[in-house]
């Protein structure tokens, strides 16, 4: 099965650690990061798509992506 996630969060070290943790669990970057500015909260929000191939497992909608 091929899994896809879009990790989002404020542009801070915690966001970078979340992406780094995903990469260390075998996820791969699936495109460029994106940034947007939230004028209400006055901060930059990041997004990073990642994907992962898992052999021998069929996809179902109840798959908890953060467990992989």
């Amino acid at each position: 099965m091929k899994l896809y996630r879009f990790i989002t969060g404020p542009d801070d070290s915690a966001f970078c650690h979340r992406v780094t943790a995903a990469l260390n669990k075998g996820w791969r970057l699936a495109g460029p990061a994106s940034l947007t500015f939230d004028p209400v909260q006055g901060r930059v929000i990041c997004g990073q798509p990642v994907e992962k191939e898992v052999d021998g497992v069929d996809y179902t909608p109840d798959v908890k992506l953060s467990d992989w």
Side-chain angles (χ1 to χ4, degrees):
M1 110 177 111
K2 190 170 210 171
L3 301 173
Y4 172 86
R5 291 176 61 193
F6 191 72
I7 301 170
T8 61
D11 183 17
D12 58 15
S13 64
F15 173 79
C16 295
H17 284 286
R18 290 176 57 215
V19 173
T20 299
L23 295 174
N24 281 282
K25 288 183 178 181
W27 292 82
R28 295 181 313 269
L29 300 179
S34 60
L35 299 172
T36 190
F37 183 72
D38 180 346
V40 174
Q41 296 186 2
R43 63 184 182 181
V44 174
I45 304 297
C46 299
Q48 176 63 61
V50 293
E51 63 185 11
K52 183 177 187 178
E53 189 76 33
V54 179
D55 294 328
V57 180
D58 292 327
Y59 171 77
T60 61
D62 62 329
V63 168
K64 188 173 178 187
L65 298 173
S66 61
D67 287 346
W68 294 94

